[in-house]
Amino acid sequence: MTEEFNESMINEVQEGDKVKGSVQAIEDKHVVVHIVGGKFDGIIPISQLSTQHIETANEVVNIGDEIEAFVTKIEQNEESGHYILSKRKLDENLSYEKLQTILDEDETIEAEVTEVVKGGLVVDAGIRGFIPASLISVNYIEDYSDYLGKVLTLKIEELDQTNNRVILSRKKVEQEALSSQKEDLLNNISQGDVLEGKVARIANFGAFIDLGGVDGLVHVSELSHNHVKSPEEVVTVGETVKVKVRAVDREAERISLSIKDTLASPFEQIDTNFTVGDIVPGKVVRLAQFGAFVEIAPGLQGLVHISQISHEHIGNPEEVLEKGQDVQVKILAIDKDEERISLSIKDTIEQETDYDESYLNQRDTDEDNPTLGDIFGDKLKDFKL
């Protein structure tokens, strides 16, 4: 009867069974667990205590803690025995089941970054998960160490329990958030809105501004009231700027912006510095068939009509002017409402004549050139019809 009892007790716990117990002792390399309903105590090697790397058992368990684990092996002899247990395997199974449900329902998880390794980040997702560098963010990340200890919101990219492989993505979460922000912005933004954004990148034709999920373009001509040769003269990548919406194309997901329209116009203070009739220096900034545009101050350009360029007849402004040339101009008119200035180069230049003007002032007293009056004198007075 004794032998039959002992055999029945041993057979109560089999390899692969899930058992419960309480921590009785913590050693350097293992933990001793009293198994409920078992003949022997259980031993959990430190490598089987946690799904994460640990140095000592005290990091994860204390005396008296209740534990569930899988029986991986039963070792016994004639006098004693023990069960080899794995809490790690049980935790992994539970974690994989939970992660599979999250993956199936396309939900997110929260996981703490426990290690920064070459090529990415290791996180505690209930089991050891990995975020490859390419899936950390939509933005370029230079130093991954800033993520150590942070809790990240992640999407499951790949789940393979057979190969113990859990690949996670933070980039996907960011992309979905940006997509949602982009849709909301495009639906709510309107022409004339004034917004704040960040300079995302610069091209030779303008600057792209991140408005929070969608980029808008500020053409180089809309960067400043002043003439701009290159966008780098006005803005830098990462700079926060104020912009005004000029146009929205929701189907093409394009937004045209202006920085210039948010700045005070130079015409607002033109009366302080300029008056009709003033002669001021300027620079030719553009030539057209009908005249020349001359800048008389930053952001202030006026038109010299072709008829006001020269006293001589010209067929094209390029006959006498070139871009970048310094000139003197007279202000003919200022229209603040329309932001127009009429200028004249001709009125600053004294007209030259092609004859001797001294003849105009010569008196008719030359005796060598008598007039008819000198010749006939009184005879004309006596003549009657």
Side-chain angles (χ1 to χ4, degrees):
M1 289 183 62
T2 302
E3 291 179 357
E4 291 176 359
F5 177 78
N6 289 338
E7 184 177 351
S8 65
M9 287 295 294
I10 294 173
N11 291 334
E12 284 179 4
V13 177
Q14 304 292 325
E15 290 184 9
D17 287 351
K18 182 172 72 172
V19 295
K20 293 182 179 180
S22 59
V23 177
Q24 300 295 306
I26 298 176
E27 307 292 344
D28 290 340
K29 298 298 181 181
H30 66 270
V31 171
V32 179
V33 179
H34 173 69
I35 303 301
V36 177
K39 181 176 178 62
F40 310 121
D41 285 337
I43 293 178
I44 306 178
I46 193 171
S47 63
Q48 297 300 312
L49 264 178
S50 174
T51 58
Q52 302 297 318
H53 174 74
I54 58 173
E55 296 293 335
T56 64
N58 289 311
E59 296 178 33
V60 291
V61 294
N62 296 302
I63 299 293
D65 284 353
E66 297 293 326
I67 282 183
E68 289 187 330
F70 278 127
V71 178
T72 59
K73 190 177 182 181
I74 300 176
E75 296 183 347
Q76 62 175 321
N77 52 39
E78 293 181 357
E79 297 181 358
S80 63
H82 56 263
Y83 308 116
I84 304 299
L85 308 176
S86 175
K87 181 177 182 295
R88 172 179 176 173
K89 186 176 180 180
L90 177 63
D91 290 344
E92 284 180 349
N93 281 359
L94 295 174
S95 294
Y96 271 111
E97 290 176 7
K98 180 180 179 181
L99 292 176
Q100 186 62 57
T101 300
I102 292 172
L103 177 61
D104 293 341
E105 297 178 359
D106 195 29
E107 295 180 348
T108 61
I109 66 166
E110 304 288 320
E112 181 181 350
V113 178
T114 57
E115 294 180 63
V116 177
V117 297
K118 184 178 180 180
L121 305 173
V122 175
V123 299
D124 181 4
I127 49 179
R128 183 183 174 91
F130 182 65
I131 310 173
S134 61
L135 298 181
I136 292 176
S137 177
V138 294
N139 302 313
Y140 171 73
I141 305 297
E142 186 173 353
D143 186 6
Y144 301 134
S145 63
D146 291 340
Y147 288 99
L148 187 62
K150 291 185 177 180
V151 177
L152 306 179
T153 301
L154 307 166
K155 277 289 188 78
I156 300 171
E157 192 77 14
E158 183 180 342
L159 193 62
D160 184 352
Q161 184 171 1
T162 302
N163 295 303
N164 197 29
R165 183 179 175 87
V166 181
I167 304 299
L168 304 165
S169 172
R170 179 171 176 264
K171 181 178 180 179
K172 195 169 185 179
V173 175
E174 289 183 336
Q175 288 174 329
E176 291 181 358
L178 289 173
S179 179
S180 177
Q181 290 174 11
K182 185 175 184 178
E183 184 178 356
D184 289 343
L185 183 63
L186 286 170
N187 288 335
N188 293 292
I189 197 171
S190 300
Q191 182 179 353
D193 289 348
V194 176
L195 309 168
E196 274 197 353
K198 185 173 290 186
V199 180
R201 62 187 189 280
I202 295 175
N204 57 5
F205 53 83
F208 290 92
I209 311 300
D210 180 7
L211 300 175
V214 62
D215 287 353
L217 173 64
V218 179
H219 189 267
V220 65
S221 62
E222 293 296 325
L223 286 170
S224 173
H225 290 290
N226 301 336
H227 177 66
V228 177
K229 293 182 179 179
S230 173
E232 284 88 349
E233 298 175 9
V234 184
V235 294
T236 57
V237 173
E239 178 184 0
T240 298
V241 294
K242 186 176 291 186
V243 293
K244 186 174 183 179
V245 179
R246 292 178 61 85
V248 180
D249 186 339
R250 291 181 173 83
E251 291 185 2
E253 297 185 350
R254 292 177 182 171
I255 303 174
S256 298
L257 305 170
S258 174
I259 292 177
K260 182 175 70 174
D261 288 352
T262 68
L263 305 174
S265 169
F267 278 86
E268 293 180 13
Q269 302 296 325
I270 192 171
D271 293 340
T272 304
N273 301 312
F274 299 100
T275 305
V276 172
D278 288 350
I279 295 177
V280 296
K283 185 184 292 288
V284 178
V285 294
R286 185 160 61 93
L287 295 171
Q289 185 68 34
F290 53 83
F293 290 91
V294 176
E295 186 175 62
I296 61 174
L300 288 176
Q301 294 182 14
L303 173 65
V304 181
H305 190 266
I306 190 170
S307 63
Q308 293 294 326
I309 292 177
S310 173
H311 291 289
E312 304 294 330
H313 174 72
I314 60 173
N316 192 306
E318 293 181 349
E319 295 176 18
V320 293
L321 296 174
E322 61 182 20
K323 186 176 179 181
Q325 181 178 343
D326 293 323
V327 293
Q328 291 288 315
V329 291
K330 183 178 181 179
I331 300 176
L332 301 179
I334 297 174
D335 188 336
K336 288 181 65 175
D337 293 334
E338 296 295 328
E339 296 191 349
R340 293 177 180 173
I341 308 172
S342 297
L343 304 172
S344 174
I345 295 175
K346 181 176 71 175
D347 286 359
T348 68
I349 303 172
E350 186 176 352
Q351 184 175 9
E352 297 180 358
T353 61
D354 56 0
Y355 57 87
D356 185 357
E357 295 182 353
S358 63
Y359 283 102
L360 298 176
N361 300 320
Q362 185 175 358
R363 298 176 65 184
D364 297 331
T365 58
D366 194 335
E367 295 179 356
D368 295 331
N369 295 287
T371 66
L372 291 176
D374 294 333
I375 296 174
F376 295 103
D378 294 337
K379 293 181 179 182
L380 290 175
K381 295 180 181 179
D382 296 334
F383 181 74
K384 295 182 179 179
L385 293 176

